[in-house]
Amino acid sequence: MNFSLIFASGGFGLNLNLFETNIINLSVVIFGLYKFLPNFLGGILKRRREAILVDLTDAEERLANSSRALQEAQKELAAAEQKAQQIRSDCKLRAEAIRLESEKRTVEEMARIKQGAVSDLNAEAVRVSSQLRREAARLAIEKALETLPRKLDEKAKADFVTQSINNMGAS
């Protein structure tokens, strides 16, 4: 049956001529695809699946290694933070000890300076006191010698001078 007239007239129809439609060739190709394609595609898909599984296994191993490394790093970080805190507290204690020692030395130095000043002051006071006593004694002797000649005779003067010399020699 020839439906080519229907196509020519613009209608729709089926062409059932086996040689014109290439149905035999199409059947052979479809059969070949059905027969050989699953093995070919199956092999490719199988290799691809195995490669994906190997990649997944490798990724899981790297993830496990990374997790272990992360845990170790976190432990080390915690230890380092604890060590840093210990160092900070040791530094604070050391600084406080240095400050207290410095204050103690300052107080001791101030006490020493004050003691030295008091000693210098006492020595100066003793020196001035001694000088004032000598000056007072000298002035008293001069005044006595000045007034004595008018009040004493020659014998009393000689006795007084002798007694004064004896007193000076005794002191």
Side-chain angles (χ1 to χ4, degrees):
M1 184 190 260
N2 193 353
F3 291 101
S4 49
L5 291 177
I6 297 175
F7 285 120
S9 64
F12 179 81
L14 291 175
N15 185 358
L16 297 177
N17 186 352
L18 292 177
F19 294 110
E20 283 183 14
T21 59
N22 249 345
I23 290 185
I24 296 173
N25 289 338
L26 286 173
S27 322
V28 169
V29 169
I30 290 173
F31 176 76
L33 288 175
Y34 173 75
K35 187 69 176 169
F36 298 110
L37 194 60
N39 289 336
F40 176 72
L41 284 178
I44 291 174
L45 291 175
K46 183 178 178 184
R47 286 190 300 274
R48 181 67 185 145
R49 181 176 177 259
E50 289 172 358
I52 290 171
L53 287 175
V54 167
D55 289 344
L56 283 174
T57 304
D58 186 42
E60 286 175 349
E61 287 176 11
R62 286 194 314 258
L63 176 64
N65 289 339
S66 298
S67 296
R68 283 191 297 274
L70 176 63
Q71 288 175 350
E72 283 296 318
Q74 286 173 338
K75 286 178 186 176
E76 290 174 4
L77 176 63
E81 286 174 346
Q82 185 178 14
K83 182 71 173 175
Q85 184 62 33
Q86 181 66 35
I87 290 171
R88 277 189 218 105
S89 65
D90 289 347
C91 287
K92 285 179 183 177
L93 290 174
R94 179 74 175 135
E96 183 65 20
I98 289 171
R99 185 187 64 79
L100 291 174
E101 180 65 25
S102 177
E103 286 177 359
K104 180 182 173 188
R105 279 187 281 165
T106 301
V107 167
E108 288 173 353
E109 185 66 19
M110 290 172 65
R112 188 187 63 77
I113 290 171
K114 184 178 178 182
Q115 183 65 32
V118 167
S119 294
D120 290 347
L121 184 64
N122 288 341
E124 188 65 20
V126 166
R127 186 186 67 77
V128 168
S129 175
S130 174
Q131 187 177 3
L132 284 174
R133 271 188 261 131
R134 278 183 289 192
E135 187 66 24
R138 186 184 63 78
L139 288 174
I141 291 172
E142 282 180 9
K143 190 172 184 181
L145 288 176
E146 195 176 289
T147 58
L148 276 179
R150 286 181 254 148
K151 293 182 180 180
L152 296 176
D153 61 356
E154 286 299 318
K155 180 173 179 345
K157 284 183 192 176
D159 288 340
F160 179 72
V161 170
T162 305
Q163 185 181 5
S164 294
I165 292 174
N166 287 338
N167 285 340
M168 285 171 134
S171 43

